[in-house]
Amino acid sequence: MKNKTLRTALQLLMFFLLIISVPWYRPPGTEPKFYLGMPDWVALALTCYALVIFINLLLWLRKDEQGKPTR
């Protein structure tokens, strides 16, 4: 049960990260701040995508450790 709850929580976190990666919350015409030469919304989106990839990797590795077939 614990593994299923953790898996569900991580999947919900991935969904949340994908939702906040889209800059729908920015008012039109807002001047972006720049981080590492990128507008803030691009930096946020790339960070969210990287975290989603990492969480997905963790979920796949946990699935492989449990001895379930991978297809």
Side-chain angles (χ1 to χ4, degrees), residues 5-70:
T5 304
L6 176 63
R7 183 175 185 82
T8 302
L10 289 174
Q11 288 172 336
L12 287 172
L13 178 60
M14 286 187 345
F15 181 70
F16 177 73
L17 287 169
L18 289 174
I19 288 174
I20 66 169
S21 70
V22 180
W24 56 268
Y25 51 85
R26 293 180 59 90
T30 303
E31 286 293 319
K33 296 178 184 174
F34 285 84
Y35 300 101
L36 300 173
M38 297 179 285
D40 53 357
W41 63 271
V42 173
L44 176 64
L46 291 176
T47 301
C48 289
Y49 299 151
L51 288 172
V52 166
I53 290 168
F54 179 72
I55 293 169
N56 196 24
L57 176 65
L58 287 177
L59 289 172
W60 274 102
L61 290 175
R62 288 185 59 84
K63 185 175 182 180
D64 288 346
E65 288 175 1
Q66 295 172 358
K68 295 182 181 178
T70 56

